């Protein structure tokens, strides 16, 4: 791990201004992803700004009947909140499917959205990776590469890595909105749909955040009701990232929402695919995964996603 300086922030706007002022600065909260990346010298911040003292660790109700979640609310606290369990069950189920109890006790809401891919080539500094070292190439796209866990849609010739979050998939199904403070002290609201970027030619640009911008809250709209389910298919029963995950919100009339994880660089959902839900899993996936570009190793994910949703619909 390389040498770095450290400070504790006491004001969100000041923290954002400080992060923009110091080239190479990073925010740290739970540190469950950042510290691992620093040990591997994938992330090499010269300065860490500890935001744990900002008081952004509460869940409050909004005027329209939704919830406003502080960026420092831990995954454990979020999933256990009575209001989340009652009205946003898909979110509780998704969080419970992620990581381990110890990590969920430390991991924060904002940090979960910002965690970086678990692509094995991103983590191997001896391999080329456009996300880690722009312009170096994508080892996952070379002949004989291991791509079983990687993306089938929303990818590009520069990167086929997937976003690892379970929480974000459920939040996408719930139409969550990310609230931030910029280095100039202004606030922004970014729909989660627009928060994570597709790789295109610049896979290193993973989110819509500007340099120094700090997530302060995530807002959930008023509850939509219906049956909530989250199913994660993985290589082992726990502490593994999704091959495919499906977040489902289904109404009594058969309509609803579907979001996928483990298949794309961001939580994957489309309103056009949602509209096909009364017609069954095949119709949904035909629209949701239209344009998929799987590798030979991960083409099974398309069938797996359809069968997973079909089983969930049958159970619902």
């Amino acid at each position: 791990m390389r040498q770095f300086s450290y400070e504790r922030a006491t004001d969100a706007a000041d923290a954002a201004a400080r992060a923009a002022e110091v080239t190479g600065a990073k925010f740290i909260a739970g540190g469950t992803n950042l510290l691992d990346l620093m040990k591997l010298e994938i992330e090499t911040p010269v300065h860490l700004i500890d935001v744990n003292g900002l008081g952004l660790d509460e869940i409050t109700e909004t005027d329209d009947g939704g919830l406003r979640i502080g960026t420092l609310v831990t995954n454990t606290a979020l999933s256990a909140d009575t209001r989340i369990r009652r009205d946003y069950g898909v979110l509780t189920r998704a969080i419970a499917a992620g990581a381990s109890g110890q990590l969920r006790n430390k991991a924060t809401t904002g940090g979960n959205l910002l965690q970086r891919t678990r692509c094995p080539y991103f983590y191997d500094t001896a391999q080329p990776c456009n996300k880690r070292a722009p312009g170096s190439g994508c080892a996952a796209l070379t002949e004989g590469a291991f791509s079983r866990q990687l993306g089938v849609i929303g990818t590009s010739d520069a990167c086929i890595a997937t976003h690892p979050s379970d929480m974000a998939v459920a939040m996408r199904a719930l139409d969550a909105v990310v609230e931030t403070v910029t280095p100039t002290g202004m606030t922004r609201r970014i729909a989660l749909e627009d928060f994570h970027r597709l790789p295109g030619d610049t896979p290193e640009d993973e989110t819509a955040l500007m340099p120094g911008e700090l997530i302060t809250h995530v807002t959930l709209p008023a509850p939509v009701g219906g049956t909530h389910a989250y199913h994660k298919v993985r290589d082992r029963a726990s502490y593994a990232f999704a091959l495919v995950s499906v977040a489902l919100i289904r109404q009594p009339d058969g309509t609803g929402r579907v979001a996928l994880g483990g298949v794309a660089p961001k939580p994957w959902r489309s309103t056009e695919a949602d509209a096909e839900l009364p017609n069954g899993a095949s119709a949904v996936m035909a629209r949701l995964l239209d344009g998929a570009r799987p590798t030979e190793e991960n083409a099974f994910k398309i069938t797996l996603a359809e069968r997973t949703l079909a089983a969930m619909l049958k159970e619902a």
Side-chain angles (χ1 to χ4, degrees):
M1 184 181 289
R2 300 187 187 183
Q3 185 175 0
F4 59 89
S5 54
Y6 170 89
E7 68 176 285
R8 292 177 178 171
T10 57
D11 179 82
D14 289 346
R18 180 68 171 150
E21 175 186 322
V22 180
T23 302
K26 289 278 186 180
F27 300 118
I28 186 167
T32 56
N33 188 206
L34 178 60
L35 291 178
D36 283 344
L37 295 175
M38 289 173 65
K39 292 173 185 177
L40 294 170
E41 296 193 358
I42 295 169
E43 293 276 12
T44 56
V46 300
H47 186 66
L48 290 183
I49 302 173
D50 189 331
V51 297
N52 283 294
L54 297 183
L56 300 172
D57 57 355
E58 296 184 353
I59 303 173
T60 57
E61 297 178 6
T62 62
D63 292 340
D64 65 356
L67 292 177
R68 192 169 184 242
I69 304 159
T71 190
L72 297 173
V73 173
T74 66
N75 287 179
T76 296
L78 180 59
S79 65
D81 186 271
T82 302
R83 296 161 294 183
I84 296 293
R85 291 169 63 89
R86 181 189 65 218
D87 298 326
Y88 306 94
V90 66
L91 183 54
T92 287
R93 290 171 170 80
I95 293 173
S100 65
Q102 294 93 331
L103 287 171
R104 293 194 296 269
N105 288 342
K106 289 293 293 181
T108 61
T109 298
N112 192 297
L113 295 177
L114 294 173
Q115 62 180 306
R116 307 198 70 186
T117 184
R118 265 55 178 194
C119 172
Y121 299 104
F122 173 77
Y123 271 79
D124 185 352
T125 56
Q127 299 286 343
C129 171
N130 289 317
K131 188 179 288 291
R132 173 171 33 81
S136 64
C138 177
L141 288 170
T142 59
E143 186 176 354
F146 180 76
S147 58
R148 181 172 179 271
Q149 293 179 301
L150 302 179
V152 299
I153 194 164
T155 57
S156 73
D157 292 337
C159 181
I160 62 170
T162 57
H163 193 271
S165 174
D166 290 289
M167 184 195 81
V169 179
M171 285 192 165
R172 178 68 187 92
L174 292 166
D175 286 332
V177 175
V178 179
E179 298 182 19
T180 71
V181 61
T182 71
T184 60
M186 301 293 291
T187 58
R188 280 211 298 163
R189 289 173 55 86
I190 309 168
L192 191 60
E193 175 184 7
D194 302 319
F195 182 78
H196 296 106
R197 289 179 171 169
L198 296 180
D201 295 327
T202 56
E204 71 277 13
D205 294 330
E206 297 175 339
T207 72
L209 295 176
M210 64 180 67
E213 193 168 7
L214 173 67
I215 297 174
T216 58
H217 298 86
V218 177
T219 301
L220 300 179
V224 295
T227 299
H228 290 218
Y230 186 83
H231 192 75
K232 179 177 181 178
V233 183
R234 44 191 163 178
D235 284 328
R236 57 181 185 266
S238 67
Y239 203 66
F241 295 96
L243 292 171
V244 166
S245 63
V246 180
L248 171 66
I249 302 174
R250 189 168 185 251
Q251 303 298 340
D253 62 1
T255 62
R257 306 173 181 183
V258 176
L260 298 182
V263 298
K266 60 189 290 185
W268 200 252
R269 180 185 166 205
S270 82
T271 54
E272 292 82 4
D274 288 347
E276 296 289 344
L277 197 54
N279 299 320
S282 296
V284 172
M285 291 304 167
R287 184 61 65 92
L288 190 55
L289 295 178
D290 183 37
R293 303 194 314 166
T295 67
E296 184 177 349
E297 276 200 345
N298 67 17
F300 73 93
K301 287 191 174 190
I302 295 174
T303 302
L304 182 60
E306 181 179 329
R307 291 180 177 175
T308 302
L309 177 59
M312 295 171 74
L313 290 174
K314 183 177 181 180
E315 183 178 348

